[in-house]
Amino acid sequence: AQSVTQLDSHVSVSEGTPVLLRCNYSSSYSPSLFWYVQHPNKGLQLLLKYTSAATLVKGINGFEAEFKKSETSFHLTKPSAHMSDAAEYFCVVRPGAGSYQLTFGKGTKLSVIP
Amino acid sequence: ETGVTQSPTHLIKTRGQQVTLRCSSQSGHNTVSWYQQALGQGPQFIFQYYREEENGRGNFPPRFSGLQFPNYSSELNVNALELDDSALYLCASSSGVSYNSPLHFGNGTRLTVT
């Protein structure tokens, strides 16, 4: 079985400062990991994915995430927050071995203060 | 490239009624999955269809059923609606069933059961 824990339900940063959204996972297999973003009243947009290649993954809009197997973590970072980054962020695990089911964390709401 | 489209965007039903939600997958995608997102929660996997066959199901009762058509569009049907079925229902499509294939989500249908 797999699970995802997003360690913060709400993160608030000032515009122009770094963003860190934390995620820990558990999986019986070598997982694929994703970060999705959801703006109000919108569907989910893929930010980035890890699929057992490079451990540092670069995504859209300046976001990146590092896969650390020893820590079972996949934290999302961005060097400088922009007002448009304010949204809900979901860490997602998809176990390997042919599984198709995504398991979502409960989400982290990111607020950006001008 | 046309993205994933869902209809209707909003729907209000009464407890005990039946509802059908519709999804058109992204061009070139043959796999469709459905997720339920309750307020303040991450999406939960309902089921997935590949080439018109259900090939995976989450922890949802049989009154949640679906179809996939030859053009890969899909329907989600919910019978005997309950108040707890109130949620955002998200459809996602992907090309193939590889666990590396990222899902592309629609904007969802907001279902309210009164």
Side-chain angles (χ1 to χ4, degrees):
Chain A
Q2 65 276 357
S3 66
V4 176
T5 302
Q6 292 186 242
L7 299 170
D8 306 291
S9 59
H10 191 193
V11 170
S12 185
V13 301
S14 297
E15 188 176 20
T17 64
V19 175
L20 170 63
L21 306 183
R22 299 181 295 165
C23 171
N24 288 113
Y25 70 92
S26 69
S27 177
S28 303
Y29 303 98
S30 297
S32 291
L33 294 161
F34 307 82
W35 276 97
Y36 280 84
V37 61
Q38 186 175 37
H39 291 275
N41 300 313
K42 294 290 187 182
L44 294 149
Q45 181 185 18
L46 179 67
L47 277 178
L48 49 79
K49 67 175 182 178
Y50 166 77
T51 54
S52 75
T55 56
L56 183 62
V57 181
K58 294 188 183 298
I60 62 171
N61 301 334
F63 284 95
E64 62 182 37
E66 186 171 8
F67 173 72
K68 293 187 176 180
K69 186 175 181 178
S70 61
E71 299 177 9
T72 60
S73 69
F74 190 56
H75 301 335
L76 181 70
T77 60
K78 183 174 180 178
S80 176
H82 191 273
M83 293 299 294
S84 60
D85 295 328
E88 189 93 22
Y89 291 79
F90 292 96
C91 182
V92 183
V93 64
R94 190 179 201 179
S99 178
Y100 33 72
Q101 178 176 341
L102 297 183
T103 298
F104 284 75
K106 290 189 175 182
T108 298
K109 183 177 181 180
L110 175 65
S111 297
V112 182
I113 304 165
Chain B
E1 175 178 273
T2 307
V4 178
T5 57
Q6 293 186 242
S7 62
T9 55
H10 294 83
L11 202 52
I12 300 175
K13 289 286 188 178
T14 303
R15 188 172 51 184
Q17 287 187 317
Q18 179 265 343
V19 69
T20 297
L21 310 181
R22 295 178 173 82
C23 171
S24 293
S25 59
Q26 184 165 315
S27 177
H29 287 182
N30 55 14
T31 303
V32 173
S33 50
W34 286 90
Y35 287 78
Q36 181 195 65
Q37 186 178 16
L39 199 61
Q41 301 294 317
Q44 291 201 325
F45 176 71
I46 303 175
F47 44 56
Q48 175 173 288
Y49 279 82
Y50 173 65
R51 293 185 175 178
E52 303 178 56
E53 297 284 334
E54 183 183 301
N55 72 340
R57 189 177 185 92
N59 189 26
F60 280 81
R63 59 189 186 84
F64 285 78
S65 63
L67 284 172
Q68 186 181 32
F69 300 100
N71 66 353
Y72 305 129
S73 65
S74 176
E75 287 182 354
L76 165 65
N77 300 291
V78 187
N79 293 322
L81 284 166
E82 300 177 0
L83 296 179
D84 285 349
D85 295 334
S86 295
L88 180 68
Y89 288 84
L90 295 163
C91 171
S93 71
S94 62
S95 56
V97 292
S98 165
Y99 70 92
N100 282 336
S101 301
L103 271 61
H104 298 262
F105 286 84
N107 287 342
T109 294
R110 173 76 61 187
L111 173 65
T112 302
V113 182
T114 61

